Amino acid sequence: MLRPLFPRASRALRIASIPTQSRLALPWQGAARSYSVQAQAASSAKPLGLDASKLSIEKTKSPGSLGKPEELVFGRKFTDHMLTIEWNEREGWLAPRIIPYQNLSLDPATCVFHYAFECFEGLKAYKDQSGNIRLFRPDRNMARLNKSAARIALPTFEPTALIELIARLVRLDERFIPEARGYSLYLRPTMIGTQKTLGVGPPGSALLYVIASPVGPYYPTGFKAISLEATDYAVRAWPGGVGDKKLGANYAPCIVPQLQAASRGHQQNLWLFGEEEYVTEVGTMNMFAAVRDRATGQKELVTAPLDGTILEGVTRDSVLSLAREKLVPEGWKVSERKYTMQKLDEASQEGRLIEAFGTGTAAVVSPVRSIAWKGKTVTCGLAETEESGEIATRMKGWIEGRQYGDEEHEWSCVVA
Amino acid sequence: MLRPLFPRASRALRIASIPTQSRLALPWQGAARSYSVQAQAASSAKPLGLDASKLSIEKTKSPGSLGKPEELVFGRKFTDHMLTIEWNEREGWLAPRIIPYQNLSLDPATCVFHYAFECFEGLKAYKDQSGNIRLFRPDRNMARLNKSAARIALPTFEPTALIELIARLVRLDERFIPEARGYSLYLRPTMIGTQKTLGVGPPGSALLYVIASPVGPYYPTGFKAISLEATDYAVRAWPGGVGDKKLGANYAPCIVPQLQAASRGHQQNLWLFGEEEYVTEVGTMNMFAAVRDRATGQKELVTAPLDGTILEGVTRDSVLSLAREKLVPEGWKVSERKYTMQKLDEASQEGRLIEAFGTGTAAVVSPVRSIAWKGKTVTCGLAETEESGEIATRMKGWIEGRQYGDEEHEWSCVVA
C-alpha cells in the first residue's frame, strides 16, 4: 500500500524560470545584511511562514549522472540540484528554491565562519522494489533540526513544509538513487547563520539548504566489526552543554580523539563520561550493549539515557522501538540507563557481554569487536570469525526492511 | 624609539598582478578537493612553509573610505583588502595573497558549514601619536590560533610569518585606522576547513584569512558598568572539552543564555561551573574580582585559573602581568584560583567585594555593577554614581598606554 504523504507537492508546483544572469548573484548574497541585530528583536523571532507552495525550481542545464554505484564514497558526490531557503529576521522564511547545485557565496565576516552558527541533519531516501521513493522517519529529523536551531538562536520552521520540499528535491533528482539494496540517497539539511558582522549575537539572517548525495552500503561485503579506543583525555559533552543537539560545534572537536584512536589501530573512539567512566557514544554514533545479568541471567539491551550528553539518534530510537517490539517478547529487557566501562569490562570477563554495536544513519548498526581501555582489550562477545552479533544483524534487517518498504510501516513515507 | 619588528616585509614584497578574470574563480575554489582524507595522512601534517616572502598583492580598483569614525559599529565595516592563504594536505601552505575584500565561494558540502572546522583570533592595530602603526602582543594571538587549529585538526603555521603578513595588510589599509585615542583596526584572523565532503574526518584543505574592521571606543562616553545574570541552566565549558580554545564551536551556544539575560535586563550572562558554582567567564570575556580578606584585610585581585575551561585571554594575561608589576608593590595579592559565586556573594554582603570587571580585546576592561544570582542581586562594590572601580580604570589606562605607545613596551610592536 502506497501512502501519498505529500499531496500538495505533487500538484502545487510552480516552475519559476530564473534568468541566467542571476546565477552569479546568488540569492543569499542580498540577505546577509550588514547591521547588527538587537537581542530583543531576534529572540521574538517566530517560525514565520515556511511555505512549500512558494517553491520555484530552476533546473540544471548540465545534468550529471549517477555513475557506477559501486564506486560511491559517502558524501563525496552530489546530485544536480539543491534546495535553498533564506530567512531573515524581518521577513521570516522567503520563497523556497530548488536550483542547480552550486557554491555558496558568503562575505568572509559571515557569522557561520566565526561563531559556528550551523546545525544539520542526516536522513536517507530509498528506492523500494516497486520503484517508489521512500523517506525514513523524516519527522524525527525535522524535530531535531528545530531543536538544534533553537539552541543556537537560528530560526525554526514548519516541519511538514520542509519534508514536502525535500520530497520535491528527491523526486527531481531521483535518478541519483541507486536501485540496489543497501544503496540510498543521503540527504543533508543544513542551516547556517548568514549575518555578516563580527558582533557576537543572534544571526539576523540564515540560510537553510539541503544537498543530496548518493551513497552505497556502509558494509559492501557484509559487516566488519570495529575496534574502539576508550577516550579518557577528552570529553565530548557535558550536562548543560549542547552534546544532545546536532550542531557543527559537536563535530570538529571529535577529530583529534578519532585520529588518536586511529593511530593505534582503532576504527573509532569511545566517549566516556566522568570519574565513573560512563559509556556514552561511539565516535559519532550511539552505543548499545547486550549483556546478561550475573545473578538472574536476564538478557538486557542497554544504551545511555537522553540526559543531555547523548545525541538523540533516530536509529537509536528505531533500535529501542524494535527491541521493545520484538526482543521483549523473547524475554529481553530493554534499558535506557547509565552504565560504566567498568561494568562492561566485568561482563566481558565473565562472558556476560553478548555483543555491542554503534547505531547511526550512515551504517544503521556497526558491530563492535573490542574496546581498548586502560591498557587492556575488552572483547565484546564476538567469536574471532564473527563480524556481527545476532542482535545487530537482526536489527539491521528489521530496520532496512522498513526503510526499503519490504514491511509497510509508519516509519517509511512514500514520496508522492 | 621605533622598533622595526617586520624587516622582511618592508623590503621583500613582490607585487603580483592578478588577471581580472581570475576574480570569479576564487583561489580556494580549486583547493577544496573532492576526496576524503585518510586519518594517517592528515595526522602527520606539519606546519609546512607559510612563507611571507611569497606574498602577492592585488589592490582594489574601487577603494573605500573610513567614513565618520564616530559612527563605527564593532565588526560591521571592513577595509579594502583581505589576506588569504590556502593550505592543503599535499602541498602545505600556498603563497599568501592580499586581495580586494570579497566573498568566499564555497561548495555547500564544505566541512566548515557542517562540522564547525573553524577557529579565529581578535587583535588590534593602533595608531600612535607619531603616526606609527602598532600591534599589541600579536605573538600571543598567533600562539593561541595555532593551539585552536591543532585541537580541531586544522593546520598550524609559523607565527612570525603570519604576523608579518598581517602587518602588510595593516600597512596597505592603514588609512582605515582612525587616529583618535580609543580607535583602532580590529583584525580577525580566521581559519576554516574547506574540504568539500561530508565524511567526518580531518580536513584535507583549509583557508586562513584575515579581515580588518575599523572600530571605535567600546565606551565612547566613558565606562558604563554592566549588570550580569548568573547562568545556572547552561554550561559553557568543561574539563576535557574545548572551552580554552578560540573555536567557533564555543560561541553559537552562548547566544541563548545571553538573550535570556538580556530579556531580564542584563547586558551579559555570567558562566558558573559545577555544583560549587565556580565563577568562570562573563559572556565572552574573562572575569576578575577584587576582594578584601575577611580576617587579614589583604586585598586580592582574583581570576579563574587556566584549567581548560577558561579562554586564555590576552587581555587577561596583560591584566595579570600589570597587576603583578604595579599592584603587588602596593600590597595587593594577585591570584589565579577557583572562586565561587557563594564567596563573591559573601564578600559583597560584608562589604569586602571592592570591584569586579570583565576583560577582553573589544572593551579592554568592562566594569561590573551587579550579578543577578539565585533571585538576588549581588552588588559588586560600585557606588550608584560610579561606572568603574579604581582597578578597572587604572588597568584600562595602563593597557591603552602600551597599546597606543605612550609607554614603550615589548607588548607593542611597531609595524615597519
Side-chain angles (χ1 to χ4, degrees):
Chain A
M1 195 190 75
L2 307 181
R3 286 162 297 105
L5 190 74
F6 313 107
R8 286 179 65 199
S10 65
R11 55 164 206 261
L13 184 68
R14 294 176 301 152
I15 305 286
S17 150
I18 296 173
T20 308
Q21 65 269 29
S22 76
R23 290 212 191 143
L24 294 176
L26 292 178
W28 42 87
Q29 285 182 314
R33 296 178 302 167
S34 58
Y35 52 89
S36 284
V37 173
Q38 295 307 306
Q40 289 74 4
S43 65
S44 69
K46 294 284 191 317
L48 294 171
L50 173 51
D51 185 349
S53 73
K54 290 185 181 160
L55 176 68
S56 67
I57 297 180
E58 179 200 356
K59 288 191 183 172
T60 181
K61 292 191 169 57
S62 50
S65 66
L66 174 61
K68 292 184 183 168
E70 63 275 19
E71 290 175 3
L72 291 171
V73 174
F74 178 80
R76 194 182 290 183
K77 179 191 181 71
F78 296 90
T79 64
D80 281 345
H81 300 92
M82 64 193 290
L83 169 67
T84 70
I85 320 162
E86 288 173 81
W87 173 91
N88 70 64
E89 186 190 18
R90 195 163 41 85
E91 300 168 283
W93 290 105
L94 305 187
R97 292 171 180 222
I98 288 175
I99 56 174
Y101 188 95
Q102 62 193 265
N103 277 13
L104 308 182
S105 175
L106 293 164
D107 190 287
T110 304
C111 62
V112 67
F113 297 130
H114 302 270
Y115 307 129
F117 286 104
E118 54 185 64
C119 52
F120 68 96
E121 276 302 321
L123 70 164
K124 287 175 172 174
Y126 308 83
K127 226 168 228 176
D128 71 19
Q129 291 193 318
S130 311
N132 299 301
I133 303 167
R134 292 168 173 272
L135 296 176
F136 187 68
R137 310 189 77 183
D139 54 323
R140 286 272 166 168
N141 296 94
M142 298 303 106
R144 191 171 60 182
L145 185 54
N146 267 330
K147 281 192 211 174
S148 299
R151 181 60 187 82
I152 53 173
L154 287 175
T156 55
F157 57 87
E158 181 57 43
T160 54
L162 188 55
I163 294 176
E164 189 175 320
L165 291 163
I166 288 173
R168 296 301 312 182
L169 176 67
V170 168
R171 176 58 83 192
L172 183 65
D173 281 344
E174 70 171 298
R175 74 181 191 290
F176 287 91
I177 313 178
E179 302 210 353
R181 173 59 63 102
Y183 289 85
S184 58
L185 186 63
Y186 180 83
L187 300 162
R188 172 56 63 94
T190 309
M191 203 191 305
I192 61 174
T194 55
Q195 182 162 314
K196 51 182 183 179
T197 59
L198 296 183
V200 179
S205 60
L207 174 69
L208 171 53
Y209 65 91
V210 182
I211 53 178
S213 173
V215 295
Y218 200 86
Y219 296 105
T221 56
F223 277 124
K224 184 84 187 132
I226 60 176
S227 126
L228 308 180
E229 177 179 85
T231 299
D232 55 8
Y233 57 90
V235 178
R236 194 192 81 90
W238 197 267
V242 294
D244 58 340
K245 306 295 187 298
K246 214 160 173 70
L247 305 183
N250 288 323
Y251 289 80
C254 287
I255 302 304
V256 167
Q258 185 185 303
L259 292 173
Q260 288 286 317
S263 73
R264 289 180 282 270
H266 306 281
Q267 281 79 36
Q268 282 290 349
N269 72 312
L270 177 68
W271 295 101
L272 305 181
F273 182 80
E275 286 178 19
E276 303 87 348
E277 299 192 290
Y278 291 115
V279 177
T280 64
E281 298 197 12
V282 181
T284 58
M285 293 186 282
N286 291 118
M287 169 83 174
F288 282 81
V291 289
R292 198 178 290 110
D293 187 79
R294 183 188 288 141
T296 65
Q298 168 72 52
K299 289 189 289 186
E300 181 186 17
L301 184 65
V302 60
T303 194
L306 301 177
D307 65 353
T309 67
I310 303 293
L311 188 76
E312 208 173 325
V314 177
T315 310
R316 174 188 180 278
D317 185 80
S318 302
V319 166
L320 283 171
S321 294
L322 282 160
R324 286 174 183 133
E325 187 184 327
K326 297 179 187 282
L327 296 182
V328 167
E330 296 179 9
W332 283 77
K333 186 175 164 186
V334 177
S335 306
E336 295 174 73
R337 65 168 174 83
K338 286 176 181 285
Y339 61 106
T340 65
M341 194 58 221
Q342 178 68 41
K343 290 287 179 193
L344 217 55
D345 183 38
E346 283 172 21
S348 170
Q349 288 185 40
E350 296 167 12
R352 299 182 291 104
L353 179 51
I354 304 167
E355 62 178 285
F357 54 89
T359 66
T361 294
V364 188
V365 298
S366 193
V368 173
R369 179 173 304 286
S370 62
I371 305 167
W373 175 61
K374 290 187 170 168
K376 58 182 166 182
T377 299
V378 178
T379 55
C380 296
L382 297 181
E384 218 172 288
T385 54
E386 279 182 319
E387 295 296 338
S388 174
E390 189 188 329
I391 300 301
T393 302
R394 293 170 80 195
M395 278 293 168
K396 182 166 184 283
W398 290 331
I399 292 176
E400 288 190 347
R402 292 181 182 179
Q403 287 172 334
Y404 289 90
D406 303 341
E407 177 195 355
E408 263 313 330
H409 190 276
E410 60 177 5
W411 288 351
S412 182
C413 306
V414 174
V415 175
Chain B
M1 193 189 77
L2 308 180
R3 286 164 297 106
L5 189 74
F6 313 109
R8 286 178 67 199
S10 65
R11 55 165 206 261
L13 184 69
R14 294 176 300 151
I15 307 286
S17 152
I18 296 173
T20 308
Q21 65 268 30
S22 76
R23 290 212 191 143
L24 295 176
L26 292 178
W28 42 87
Q29 285 182 314
R33 297 178 303 168
S34 59
Y35 52 86
S36 285
V37 173
Q38 296 307 306
Q40 289 74 3
S43 66
S44 67
K46 293 280 191 321
L48 294 170
L50 173 51
D51 185 348
S53 74
K54 291 185 180 160
L55 175 69
S56 67
I57 298 180
E58 179 200 358
K59 288 192 183 170
T60 182
K61 291 190 170 58
S62 50
S65 66
L66 174 60
K68 292 184 184 170
E70 63 275 19
E71 291 176 1
L72 291 171
V73 174
F74 177 80
R76 195 182 289 182
K77 180 190 178 70
F78 296 90
T79 65
D80 281 345
H81 299 92
M82 63 192 290
L83 170 67
T84 71
I85 320 163
E86 288 173 83
W87 174 91
N88 70 64
E89 187 189 18
R90 193 164 41 85
E91 300 168 283
W93 290 106
L94 306 186
R97 294 171 180 221
I98 288 175
I99 56 175
Y101 187 96
Q102 62 192 265
N103 277 11
L104 308 182
S105 175
L106 293 164
D107 190 289
T110 305
C111 63
V112 67
F113 296 130
H114 302 270
Y115 307 128
F117 285 104
E118 53 185 65
C119 52
F120 67 96
E121 277 301 321
L123 70 163
K124 288 175 172 174
Y126 308 84
K127 227 168 228 176
D128 71 17
Q129 292 192 318
S130 312
N132 300 300
I133 302 167
R134 293 169 172 271
L135 296 176
F136 186 69
R137 310 190 77 184
D139 53 323
R140 286 272 167 167
N141 296 94
M142 298 303 106
R144 191 171 60 182
L145 185 54
N146 267 330
K147 281 190 210 175
S148 299
R151 181 61 185 83
I152 53 173
L154 287 174
T156 55
F157 57 87
E158 180 57 43
T160 54
L162 187 55
I163 295 176
E164 189 174 321
L165 290 163
I166 289 172
R168 297 301 312 181
L169 176 67
V170 168
R171 178 57 85 191
L172 183 65
D173 281 344
E174 70 171 298
R175 74 180 191 289
F176 286 91
I177 313 177
E179 302 211 351
R181 171 59 64 102
Y183 289 84
S184 59
L185 186 64
Y186 180 83
L187 300 163
R188 171 57 62 94
T190 308
M191 202 191 305
I192 62 174
T194 55
Q195 181 162 315
K196 51 182 182 179
T197 60
L198 296 182
V200 179
S205 61
L207 174 69
L208 170 54
Y209 65 91
V210 182
I211 52 178
S213 173
V215 295
Y218 200 84
Y219 296 106
T221 57
F223 276 126
K224 184 85 186 130
I226 61 176
S227 126
L228 308 179
E229 177 179 85
T231 298
D232 56 8
Y233 57 90
V235 176
R236 194 193 80 91
W238 52 86
V242 294
D244 57 340
K245 305 297 186 298
K246 213 159 174 71
L247 306 183
N250 289 323
Y251 289 79
C254 287
I255 302 303
V256 167
Q258 184 185 304
L259 291 173
Q260 288 287 316
S263 73
R264 290 180 282 269
H266 305 282
Q267 281 79 37
Q268 282 290 349
N269 72 313
L270 177 68
W271 295 101
L272 306 181
F273 184 79
E275 284 178 21
E276 302 87 349
E277 299 193 289
Y278 290 115
V279 176
T280 63
E281 297 197 12
V282 181
T284 56
M285 293 186 283
N286 291 118
M287 170 81 172
F288 282 82
V291 288
R292 199 177 290 109
D293 187 80
R294 183 188 289 143
T296 65
Q298 169 72 52
K299 289 190 287 185
E300 180 186 18
L301 184 65
V302 60
T303 194
L306 301 177
D307 66 352
T309 67
I310 304 292
L311 188 77
E312 208 173 325
V314 177
T315 310
R316 174 188 179 278
D317 185 81
S318 301
V319 166
L320 283 170
S321 293
L322 281 161
R324 285 173 184 134
E325 185 184 327
K326 297 179 187 280
L327 296 181
V328 167
E330 294 180 11
W332 283 79
K333 186 174 162 187
V334 177
S335 305
E336 295 174 74
R337 65 169 174 83
K338 287 176 182 284
Y339 62 105
T340 66
M341 196 56 222
Q342 179 68 42
K343 289 288 180 193
L344 216 55
D345 183 40
E346 283 173 20
S348 170
Q349 286 186 42
E350 296 167 13
R352 298 182 290 104
L353 179 51
I354 304 168
E355 63 179 284
F357 53 91
T359 66
T361 294
V364 187
V365 297
S366 192
V368 174
R369 180 174 303 286
S370 62
I371 304 166
W373 175 62
K374 291 188 171 168
K376 59 181 167 183
T377 299
V378 178
T379 55
C380 296
L382 297 182
E384 219 173 289
T385 55
E386 279 181 319
E387 296 295 337
S388 174
E390 190 188 329
I391 300 302
T393 302
R394 294 169 79 194
M395 278 294 168
K396 182 165 184 281
W398 290 331
I399 291 176
E400 289 190 347
R402 292 181 181 179
Q403 287 172 334
Y404 289 90
D406 302 343
E407 177 196 355
E408 263 315 330
H409 190 274
E410 59 176 7
W411 288 350
S412 182
C413 307
V414 174
V415 175

